[in-house]
Amino acid sequence: MHHGHDPDLVTPIHLHAQLRTLTRLEHLYHAAHPDATLADFDRLVAPEFWEIGASGRRYSRAFARQVLANRTTVPPPESWHDDAHVLTPLGDALYQLTYTLIQPGRTTLRASLWRDTPDGWQVVFHQGTVCR
């Protein structure tokens, strides 16, 4: 839902390929996504990663990894629907990916900071904010 106070968020055309890549990679470390695995988490999540959960609590990389490791069942694919992805360059090899995540019972606004490293993309920060 777009409101008059919302910023006009548009990914610059020269970043569309990176947007597609990061949208796919975002799914691979997030415990709520059915495709997420520990191997992907270890590859994609920077050592200094931390997040602010939709609960408002801060979580370490180790905690986020443990949540994924403790996942006893894989979420059904239909439990994850994300859209309105926007990629914004922030500085030297640092990008912000924002999107809306719709899950059963709640919708959250999401933001991740991704760094383009010689070894590939790594997420360094993530935040979720409940909007409905």
Side-chain angles (χ1 to χ4, degrees):
M1 179 178 291
H2 191 76
H3 301 285
H5 53 74
D6 285 349
D8 186 21
L9 300 174
V10 178
T11 301
I13 195 135
H14 71 280
L15 293 179
H16 283 195
Q18 291 94 327
L19 174 63
R20 285 188 299 276
T21 297
L22 291 178
T23 296
R24 180 178 51 80
L25 293 180
E26 184 79 15
H27 298 169
L28 297 181
Y29 81 90
H30 200 295
H33 194 277
D35 294 341
T37 67
L38 286 174
D40 287 327
F41 186 99
D42 291 342
R43 177 174 52 90
L44 294 171
V45 180
E48 68 273 23
F49 173 88
W50 64 285
E51 70 175 273
I52 300 172
S55 65
R57 294 181 59 189
R58 290 182 292 241
Y59 297 107
S60 67
R61 181 189 192 279
F63 182 87
R65 189 183 190 282
Q66 195 60 51
V67 168
L68 179 56
N70 288 347
R71 190 171 76 175
T72 54
T73 60
V74 175
E78 64 272 12
S79 71
W80 176 286
H81 175 72
D82 54 328
D83 65 12
H85 298 86
V86 176
L87 189 63
T88 306
L90 297 180
D92 187 29
L94 187 65
Y95 298 83
Q96 176 181 262
L97 176 66
T98 57
Y99 58 99
T100 302
L101 177 58
I102 301 161
Q103 296 169 285
R106 78 174 186 186
T107 298
T108 50
L109 301 178
R110 299 285 173 153
S112 294
L113 298 182
W114 285 89
R115 186 173 52 224
D116 191 4
T117 78
D119 296 324
W121 290 99
Q122 285 197 316
V123 61
V124 296
F125 175 79
H126 181 78
Q127 179 166 358
T129 304
V130 176
C131 60
R132 60 183 173 275

